[in-house]
Amino acid sequence: GDYMPLFAKKTVGPTLNRDGTVELDNGCLDDFVAKNPRVVVMFYRSTCGHSMKMDPIYVQLCSEMKGPIGFCKVSTPTNMELVRRLAIKGTPTFVFYVGGKETGRAVGERTKEALKAEIERGTNAG
């Protein structure tokens, strides 16, 4: 029948956050990065003061710059596999991709202007 088996693996995929950013996880980051020419991923922890201070800035930049650039978020506590594979050391860490390849990263708090400049630099590289 159509019923979901009880232990079905929950589907992973990009989900749109209410703030306009896209939430990614272990299972879909690579695919999302491969499909989108320019991507910024914010690795964050909701218990991290620096992450929470940067979040509204990131969301503002998302609304101003998204379109050509995919603005994504990854929660580090629930995606340790990715954190290890990408060697994410602290939060927030912003990772830039162009054409499926990492072109740079920015770690820690920034002013909006500084982060915007780094996103522009990172997503125009390649």
Side-chain angles (χ1 to χ4, degrees):
D2 300 346
Y3 71 91
M4 287 288 293
L6 206 51
F7 299 109
K9 186 172 167 354
K10 100 175 161 41
T11 53
V12 288
T15 38
L16 193 60
N17 291 319
R18 281 201 304 271
D19 62 22
T21 61
V22 178
E23 198 76 23
L24 301 177
D25 59 33
N26 288 324
C28 67
L29 178 109
D30 294 345
D31 190 48
F32 189 90
V33 163
K35 285 193 174 118
N36 291 277
R38 300 197 275 161
V39 177
V40 187
V41 184
M42 176 182 178
F43 287 84
Y44 72 95
R45 210 172 70 235
S46 54
T47 53
C48 161
H50 302 293
S51 291
M52 293 303 95
K53 208 159 144 192
M54 288 308 295
D55 190 62
I57 292 173
Y58 188 65
V59 169
Q60 280 176 355
L61 290 173
C62 168
S63 68
E64 291 169 21
M65 302 170 78
K66 77 168 181 224
I69 305 172
F71 278 74
C72 309
K73 290 181 185 175
V74 171
S75 167
T76 57
T78 51
N79 293 288
M80 287 313 293
E81 189 190 310
L82 266 182
V83 168
R84 280 194 292 273
R85 180 159 62 87
L86 297 176
I88 303 297
K89 300 280 187 273
T91 50
T93 295
F94 302 91
V95 183
F96 313 118
Y97 295 93
V98 176
K101 294 186 175 47
E102 183 182 324
T103 52
R105 43 180 79 181
V107 183
E109 287 186 28
R110 300 278 189 287
T111 63
K112 182 180 169 185
E113 293 66 34
L115 183 59
K116 182 176 183 171
E118 295 202 59
I119 291 172
E120 284 172 343
R121 199 165 48 242
T123 56
N124 286 318

